[in-house]
Protein backbone atom coordinates (compact mmCIF):
# COMPACT_ATOMS: atom_id res chain seq x y z
CA UNK A 1 0.00 0.00 0.00
CA UNK A 2 1.26 3.46 -0.89
CA UNK A 3 0.44 6.94 0.37
CA UNK A 4 1.53 10.37 -0.81
CA UNK A 5 1.65 13.25 1.68
CA UNK A 6 2.16 16.97 1.06
CA UNK A 7 2.99 19.12 4.06
CA UNK A 8 4.77 16.07 5.49
CA UNK A 9 7.45 18.08 7.31
CA UNK A 10 4.90 20.12 9.26
CA UNK A 11 3.43 19.56 12.68
CA UNK A 12 0.37 17.60 11.52
CA UNK A 13 1.96 16.10 8.42
CA UNK A 14 4.89 14.52 10.26
CA UNK A 15 2.51 12.83 12.71
CA UNK A 16 0.39 11.59 9.80
CA UNK A 17 3.45 10.06 8.13
CA UNK A 18 4.30 8.21 11.33
CA UNK A 19 0.73 6.96 11.62
CA UNK A 20 0.69 5.71 8.02
CA UNK A 21 4.00 3.92 8.50
CA UNK A 22 2.52 2.11 11.52
CA UNK A 23 -0.41 1.06 9.32
CA UNK A 24 2.02 -0.56 6.88
CA UNK A 25 2.11 2.10 4.14
CA UNK A 26 5.08 3.09 2.04
CA UNK A 27 4.91 6.86 2.21
CA UNK A 28 6.21 9.35 -0.33
CA UNK A 29 6.71 12.78 1.22
CA UNK A 30 6.81 15.98 -0.81
CA UNK A 31 9.36 18.35 0.73
CA UNK A 32 10.71 21.73 -0.29
CA UNK A 33 14.39 22.61 -0.50
CA UNK A 34 14.02 24.78 2.58
CA UNK A 35 11.98 22.25 4.61
CA UNK A 36 13.09 21.13 8.04
CA UNK A 37 12.99 17.34 7.74
CA UNK A 38 14.09 16.45 11.26
CA UNK A 39 10.84 14.70 12.19
CA UNK A 40 10.88 12.64 8.98
CA UNK A 41 14.54 11.76 9.50
CA UNK A 42 13.49 9.96 12.67
CA UNK A 43 11.39 7.69 10.47
CA UNK A 44 14.21 7.22 7.97
CA UNK A 45 16.44 6.05 10.78
CA UNK A 46 13.83 3.79 12.31
CA UNK A 47 13.51 0.10 11.58
CA UNK A 48 10.08 0.47 9.98
CA UNK A 49 8.42 0.50 6.58
CA UNK A 50 10.46 2.98 4.52
CA UNK A 51 9.48 6.47 3.54
CA UNK A 52 10.77 8.43 0.58
CA UNK A 53 11.52 12.14 0.58
CA UNK A 54 11.13 13.90 -2.77
CA UNK A 55 12.20 17.51 -3.10
CA UNK A 56 9.76 19.43 -5.28
CA UNK A 57 7.25 22.27 -5.19
CA UNK A 58 3.47 21.99 -5.09
CA UNK A 59 3.51 24.04 -8.29
CA UNK A 60 5.61 21.44 -10.13
CA UNK A 61 2.78 19.72 -11.99
CA UNK A 62 4.85 17.22 -13.98
CA UNK A 63 6.67 15.97 -10.90
CA UNK A 64 3.42 15.67 -8.97
CA UNK A 65 1.91 13.60 -11.79
CA UNK A 66 4.71 11.09 -11.56
CA UNK A 67 4.69 10.92 -7.77
CA UNK A 68 0.96 10.14 -7.45
CA UNK A 69 0.92 7.66 -10.34
CA UNK A 70 0.79 4.41 -8.33
CA UNK A 71 -0.45 5.78 -5.02
CA UNK A 72 -3.46 4.44 -3.11
CA UNK A 73 -4.06 7.47 -0.89
CA UNK A 74 -3.17 11.15 -1.37
CA UNK A 75 -3.18 13.45 1.67
CA UNK A 76 -2.91 17.13 0.80
CA UNK A 77 -1.82 18.99 3.94
CA UNK A 78 0.59 21.53 2.41
CA UNK A 79 -0.45 25.15 2.58
CA UNK A 80 0.56 28.62 3.62
CA UNK A 81 -0.64 29.81 7.02
CA UNK A 82 1.23 33.11 6.80
CA UNK A 83 1.53 35.29 3.70
CA UNK A 84 1.89 38.94 2.78
CA UNK A 85 -1.28 39.10 0.68
CA UNK A 86 -4.27 37.19 -0.65
CA UNK A 87 -2.59 36.50 -3.99
CA UNK A 88 0.21 34.58 -2.28
CA UNK A 89 -2.25 32.52 -0.26
CA UNK A 90 -4.21 31.71 -3.42
CA UNK A 91 -1.12 30.76 -5.41
CA UNK A 92 -0.20 28.05 -2.91
CA UNK A 93 -3.45 27.06 -1.19
CA UNK A 94 -5.71 27.19 -4.24
CA UNK A 95 -3.54 26.74 -7.32
CA UNK A 96 -1.39 24.18 -5.53
CA UNK A 97 -4.51 22.15 -4.77
CA UNK A 98 -5.57 22.38 -8.42
CA UNK A 99 -2.16 21.15 -9.55
CA UNK A 100 -2.26 18.13 -7.27
CA UNK A 101 -5.83 17.20 -8.18
CA UNK A 102 -5.10 17.51 -11.89
CA UNK A 103 -2.00 15.36 -11.45
CA UNK A 104 -4.14 12.66 -9.83
CA UNK A 105 -6.73 12.87 -12.61
CA UNK A 106 -4.04 12.63 -15.25
CA UNK A 107 -2.07 9.62 -13.99
CA UNK A 108 -4.06 7.80 -11.29
CA UNK A 109 -7.62 7.00 -12.29
CA UNK A 110 -7.69 4.23 -9.68
CA UNK A 111 -6.87 6.43 -6.70
CA UNK A 112 -8.64 5.21 -3.57
CA UNK A 113 -8.94 8.64 -1.94
CA UNK A 114 -7.85 12.26 -2.17
CA UNK A 115 -7.97 13.88 1.28
CA UNK A 116 -7.83 17.67 1.45
CA UNK A 117 -6.97 19.10 4.85
CA UNK A 118 -8.83 22.39 5.14
CA UNK A 119 -9.41 24.37 8.33
CA UNK A 120 -12.13 25.67 10.61
CA UNK A 121 -10.89 29.08 9.40
CA UNK A 122 -12.46 28.26 6.02
CA UNK A 123 -15.87 28.29 7.71
CA UNK A 124 -15.28 31.12 10.15
CA UNK A 125 -16.40 31.48 13.78
CA UNK A 126 -19.85 30.90 15.25
CA UNK A 127 -22.02 33.84 16.23
CA UNK A 128 -23.39 31.97 19.26
CA UNK A 129 -22.25 29.24 21.63
CA UNK A 130 -23.84 26.56 19.43
CA UNK A 131 -21.09 24.52 17.72
CA UNK A 132 -20.96 24.67 13.93
CA UNK A 133 -21.91 21.63 11.84
CA UNK A 134 -20.56 20.73 8.42
CA UNK A 135 -23.55 22.15 6.53
CA UNK A 136 -23.16 25.68 7.92
CA UNK A 137 -22.71 28.60 5.53
CA UNK A 138 -19.01 29.53 5.35
CA UNK A 139 -18.02 33.02 6.46
CA UNK A 140 -14.21 33.12 6.63
CA UNK A 141 -12.69 36.22 8.19
CA UNK A 142 -9.21 36.24 6.68
CA UNK A 143 -7.32 35.83 3.42
CA UNK A 144 -6.02 32.52 4.78
CA UNK A 145 -9.52 31.25 5.57
CA UNK A 146 -10.83 32.36 2.19
CA UNK A 147 -7.96 30.59 0.40
CA UNK A 148 -8.67 27.34 2.27
CA UNK A 149 -12.36 27.64 1.36
CA UNK A 150 -11.41 28.12 -2.29
CA UNK A 151 -9.27 24.99 -1.95
CA UNK A 152 -12.40 23.15 -0.78
CA UNK A 153 -14.33 24.42 -3.80
CA UNK A 154 -11.56 23.21 -6.13
CA UNK A 155 -11.69 19.80 -4.45
CA UNK A 156 -15.49 19.54 -4.60
CA UNK A 157 -15.47 20.42 -8.31
CA UNK A 158 -13.71 17.12 -9.00
CA UNK A 159 -15.90 14.99 -6.74
CA UNK A 160 -17.56 13.31 -9.74
CA UNK A 161 -14.17 12.23 -11.12
CA UNK A 162 -12.15 11.64 -7.96
CA UNK A 163 -13.03 10.10 -4.58
CA UNK A 164 -12.45 13.11 -2.32
CA UNK A 165 -12.82 13.81 1.40
CA UNK A 166 -12.35 17.13 3.21
CA UNK A 167 -11.18 17.51 6.81
CA UNK A 168 -11.61 20.76 8.74
CA UNK A 169 -9.53 20.74 11.93
CA UNK A 170 -10.02 23.33 14.66
CA UNK A 171 -7.05 24.37 16.82
CA UNK A 172 -4.57 21.48 17.00
CA UNK A 173 -2.03 20.90 19.77
CA UNK A 174 0.44 18.22 20.78
CA UNK A 175 4.13 17.35 20.50
CA UNK A 176 6.00 19.49 17.90
CA UNK A 177 3.35 22.22 17.85
CA UNK A 178 4.71 25.77 17.94
CA UNK A 179 1.44 27.74 18.11
CA UNK A 180 -0.24 26.61 21.34
CA UNK A 181 3.33 26.15 22.61
CA UNK A 182 3.53 29.93 22.96
CA UNK A 183 0.86 29.72 25.65
CA UNK A 184 2.87 26.99 27.42
CA UNK A 185 5.85 29.37 27.37
CA UNK A 186 3.88 32.18 28.98
CA UNK A 187 2.58 29.89 31.74
CA UNK A 188 6.06 28.47 32.31
CA UNK A 189 7.25 32.05 32.88
CA UNK A 190 4.45 32.67 35.37
CA UNK A 191 1.96 34.53 33.19
CA UNK A 192 -1.47 33.59 31.87
CA UNK A 193 -2.60 36.11 29.22
CA UNK A 194 -6.32 36.66 28.71
CA UNK A 195 -7.77 38.73 25.87
CA UNK A 196 -10.41 41.37 26.51
CA UNK A 197 -13.16 41.12 29.11
CA UNK A 198 -14.97 38.00 27.89
CA UNK A 199 -13.73 34.46 27.88
CA UNK A 200 -13.78 32.56 24.61
CA UNK A 201 -14.88 29.09 23.64
CA UNK A 202 -12.89 27.01 21.23
CA UNK A 203 -12.74 23.50 19.88
CA UNK A 204 -9.48 21.59 20.19
CA UNK A 205 -8.00 18.31 19.07
CA UNK A 206 -4.80 16.52 19.95
CA UNK A 207 -2.67 15.87 16.88
CA UNK A 208 -2.71 12.08 17.36
CA UNK A 209 -6.51 12.06 17.43
CA UNK A 210 -6.54 14.25 14.33
CA UNK A 211 -4.33 11.99 12.23
CA UNK A 212 -6.30 8.94 13.35
CA UNK A 213 -9.48 10.69 12.23
CA UNK A 214 -7.94 11.73 8.92
CA UNK A 215 -6.98 8.14 8.22
CA UNK A 216 -10.39 6.82 9.27
CA UNK A 217 -11.99 9.18 6.75
CA UNK A 218 -9.51 8.17 4.04
CA UNK A 219 -10.43 4.48 4.22
CA UNK A 220 -14.19 4.79 4.77
CA UNK A 221 -16.48 4.57 1.74
CA UNK A 222 -19.03 6.64 3.67
CA UNK A 223 -16.59 9.55 3.63
CA UNK A 224 -16.39 9.85 -0.17
CA UNK A 225 -17.57 13.32 -1.16
CA UNK A 226 -17.98 14.38 2.47
CA UNK A 227 -16.47 16.99 4.79
CA UNK A 228 -15.81 16.48 8.51
CA UNK A 229 -14.96 18.45 11.61
CA UNK A 230 -12.70 16.52 13.99
CA UNK A 231 -12.55 17.63 17.64
CA UNK A 232 -11.98 16.09 21.07
CA UNK A 233 -15.74 16.27 21.61
CA UNK A 234 -15.71 19.08 24.18
CA UNK A 235 -15.91 22.86 24.22
CA UNK A 236 -13.10 24.66 26.03
CA UNK A 237 -12.65 28.15 27.37
CA UNK A 238 -9.21 29.72 27.22
CA UNK A 239 -9.35 29.95 31.02
CA UNK A 240 -9.80 26.19 31.20
CA UNK A 241 -6.95 25.64 28.75
CA UNK A 242 -4.68 27.96 30.71
CA UNK A 243 -5.55 26.31 34.02
CA UNK A 244 -4.93 22.86 32.56
CA UNK A 245 -1.53 23.93 31.23
CA UNK A 246 -0.66 25.49 34.59
CA UNK A 247 -1.57 22.26 36.38
CA UNK A 248 0.52 20.20 33.95
CA UNK A 249 3.52 22.52 34.40
CA UNK A 250 2.99 22.80 38.18
CA UNK A 251 2.80 26.58 37.96
CA UNK A 252 0.63 29.26 39.59
CA UNK A 253 0.73 31.96 36.91
CA UNK A 254 -0.37 35.56 37.26
CA UNK A 255 -3.40 36.33 35.10
CA UNK A 256 -2.60 39.16 32.71
CA UNK A 257 -5.48 40.85 30.88
CA UNK A 258 -4.41 42.11 27.47
CA UNK A 259 -6.70 44.88 26.08
CA UNK A 260 -7.59 44.67 22.41
CA UNK A 261 -6.03 48.06 21.78
CA UNK A 262 -2.63 46.61 22.71
CA UNK A 263 -3.08 43.80 20.20
CA UNK A 264 -4.11 46.29 17.53
CA UNK A 265 -0.97 48.34 18.16
CA UNK A 266 1.24 45.24 18.03
CA UNK A 267 -0.36 44.17 14.75
CA UNK A 268 0.26 47.56 13.18
CA UNK A 269 3.92 47.43 14.23
CA UNK A 270 4.46 43.89 12.90
CA UNK A 271 2.81 44.77 9.60
CA UNK A 272 5.07 47.81 9.23
CA UNK A 273 8.12 45.68 10.00
CA UNK A 274 6.94 43.04 7.52
CA UNK A 275 6.76 45.59 4.72
CA UNK A 276 10.37 46.55 5.43
CA UNK A 277 11.73 43.00 5.81
CA UNK A 278 9.39 41.50 3.18
CA UNK A 279 8.49 38.67 5.54
CA UNK A 280 4.91 37.70 6.33
CA UNK A 281 3.99 38.84 9.87
CA UNK A 282 2.99 36.23 12.43
CA UNK A 283 0.53 38.63 14.05
CA UNK A 284 -1.40 41.01 11.80
CA UNK A 285 -4.77 42.75 11.86
CA UNK A 286 -6.51 39.77 10.25
CA UNK A 287 -5.12 37.45 12.93
CA UNK A 288 -6.25 39.88 15.61
CA UNK A 289 -9.72 39.85 14.11
CA UNK A 290 -9.76 36.07 14.52
CA UNK A 291 -8.53 36.30 18.11
CA UNK A 292 -11.33 38.70 19.01
CA UNK A 293 -14.06 36.20 18.09
CA UNK A 294 -15.78 34.52 21.02
CA UNK A 295 -16.75 31.19 19.47
CA UNK A 296 -14.37 29.11 17.36
CA UNK A 297 -16.33 25.93 17.93
CA UNK A 298 -17.51 23.02 15.80
CA UNK A 299 -19.32 19.70 16.18
CA UNK A 300 -17.68 16.36 15.32
CA UNK A 301 -20.83 14.25 15.73
CA UNK A 302 -20.90 13.43 12.02
CA UNK A 303 -17.42 11.90 12.16
CA UNK A 304 -18.33 9.95 15.27
CA UNK A 305 -21.44 8.50 13.66
CA UNK A 306 -20.14 7.83 10.14
CA UNK A 307 -16.49 7.01 10.81
CA UNK A 308 -16.59 5.63 14.31
CA UNK A 309 -14.25 8.47 15.30
CA UNK A 310 -13.53 8.24 19.03
CA UNK A 311 -10.88 10.69 20.30
CA UNK A 312 -8.50 9.22 22.87
CA UNK A 313 -7.11 12.48 24.22
CA UNK A 314 -9.35 14.57 26.48
CA UNK A 315 -7.84 17.95 27.31
CA UNK A 316 -6.20 16.96 30.60
CA UNK A 317 -4.46 13.90 29.13
CA UNK A 318 -3.45 15.70 25.95
CA UNK A 319 -2.03 18.75 27.74
CA UNK A 320 -0.17 16.60 30.26
CA UNK A 321 1.51 14.47 27.59
CA UNK A 322 2.29 17.56 25.50
CA UNK A 323 3.88 19.31 28.48
CA UNK A 324 6.00 16.23 29.16
CA UNK A 325 7.16 16.17 25.55
CA UNK A 326 8.13 19.86 25.68
CA UNK A 327 10.12 19.17 28.85
CA UNK A 328 11.85 16.08 27.47
CA UNK A 329 12.67 17.89 24.23
CA UNK A 330 14.08 20.88 26.16
CA UNK A 331 11.55 23.27 24.64
CA UNK A 332 10.63 24.39 28.16
Amino acid sequence: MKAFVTGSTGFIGSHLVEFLVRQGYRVTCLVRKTSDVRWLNQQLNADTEPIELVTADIGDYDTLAQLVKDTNLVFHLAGLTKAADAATYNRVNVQGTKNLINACLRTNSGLDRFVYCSSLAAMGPCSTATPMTEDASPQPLTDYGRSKLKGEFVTYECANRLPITIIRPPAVYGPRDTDVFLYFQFVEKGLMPTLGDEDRLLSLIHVRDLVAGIYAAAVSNLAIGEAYFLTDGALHSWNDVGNTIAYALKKCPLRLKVPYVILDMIAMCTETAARITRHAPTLNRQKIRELKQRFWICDSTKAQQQLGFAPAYPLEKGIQETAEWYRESCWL
Side-chain angles (χ1 to χ4, degrees):
M1 297 183 293
K2 296 181 181 180
F4 177 74
V5 181
T6 73
S8 58
T9 60
F11 164 48
I12 299 171
S14 62
H15 280 279
L16 178 61
V17 170
E18 290 182 7
F19 185 93
L20 292 170
V21 166
R22 290 195 298 270
Q23 300 302 311
Y25 284 83
R26 295 174 60 90
V27 185
T28 299
C29 302
L30 187 73
V31 301
R32 294 172 298 163
K33 292 180 180 179
T34 57
S35 295
D36 181 350
V37 297
R38 55 180 163 165
W39 310 123
L40 298 181
N41 281 337
Q42 292 179 0
Q43 290 297 304
L44 288 170
N45 295 330
D47 185 20
T48 57
E49 192 75 12
I51 67 173
E52 179 184 10
L53 307 186
V54 179
T55 302
D57 188 85
I58 194 66
D60 188 346
Y61 173 75
D62 290 332
T63 299
L64 292 176
Q66 290 302 312
L67 292 175
V68 301
K69 187 175 182 179
D70 299 317
T71 296
N72 303 101
L73 302 174
V74 170
F75 298 90
H76 183 34
L77 278 65
L80 282 182
T81 57
K82 294 186 295 181
D85 50 47
T88 305
Y89 278 120
N90 290 334
R91 177 175 57 79
V92 176
N93 295 350
V94 184
Q95 187 58 48
T97 303
K98 284 183 180 179
N99 289 341
L100 186 56
I101 287 177
N102 288 335
C104 293
L105 291 172
R106 171 183 163 187
T107 63
N108 194 342
S109 60
L111 183 69
D112 291 334
R113 192 67 53 84
F114 181 96
V115 179
Y116 174 66
C117 190
S118 183
S119 170
L120 178 57
M123 300 299 290
C126 295
S127 58
T128 68
T130 302
M132 182 182 299
T133 56
E134 287 82 356
D135 57 356
S137 298
Q139 294 181 319
L141 296 179
T142 62
D143 290 336
Y144 167 71
R146 286 185 282 271
S147 72
K148 295 302 286 185
L149 182 61
K150 290 176 184 176
E152 289 193 18
F153 291 157
V154 167
T155 305
Y156 275 127
E157 285 174 357
C158 298
N160 62 336
R161 295 180 290 164
L162 201 67
I164 63 99
T165 299
I166 292 172
I167 303 295
R168 299 177 185 139
V172 187
Y173 72 99
R176 305 174 193 164
D177 168 57
T178 57
D179 290 335
V180 180
F181 172 61
L182 296 175
Y183 207 68
F184 278 81
Q185 287 181 301
F186 275 114
V187 175
E188 175 70 10
K189 294 176 181 178
L191 296 174
M192 188 184 297
T194 58
L195 304 181
D197 297 318
E198 299 173 312
D199 201 5
R200 278 146 193 74
L201 291 180
L202 72 159
S203 293
L204 285 168
I205 188 167
H206 189 280
V207 65
R208 294 196 182 99
D209 279 336
L210 175 59
V211 298
I214 290 173
Y215 179 73
V219 297
S220 169
N221 288 334
L222 292 176
I224 295 176
E226 298 291 339
Y228 297 93
F229 290 124
L230 298 176
T231 79
D232 65 6
L235 301 181
H236 307 284
S237 72
W238 270 113
N239 278 333
D240 290 340
V241 174
N243 290 335
T244 305
I245 292 174
Y247 182 80
L249 296 179
K250 297 180 173 58
K251 296 289 182 178
C252 295
L254 174 68
R255 294 184 184 275
L256 178 65
K257 188 169 84 170
V258 181
Y260 288 138
V261 64
I262 299 297
L263 291 179
D264 293 334
M265 293 173 61
I266 293 173
M268 292 176 63
C269 291
T270 58
E271 288 182 2
T272 300
R275 285 193 291 270
I276 297 172
T277 62
R278 297 184 180 181
H279 287 103
T282 300
L283 190 65
N284 57 21
R285 279 172 288 183
Q286 290 196 14
K287 185 64 177 178
I288 296 302
R289 187 181 180 193
E290 286 188 330
L291 290 173
K292 290 178 179 179
Q293 306 305 310
R294 288 195 65 190
F295 306 115
W296 282 103
I297 51 179
C298 52
D299 189 334
S300 58
T301 300
K302 179 180 175 181
Q304 295 169 24
Q305 294 176 344
Q306 294 188 2
L307 309 177
F309 174 65
Y313 287 85
L315 184 65
E316 292 77 11
K317 176 182 176 182
I319 291 294
Q320 182 64 49
E321 291 193 10
T322 301
E324 290 171 1
W325 186 90
Y326 288 144
R327 293 277 199 210
E328 293 169 0
S329 301
C330 300
W331 285 31
L332 288 175

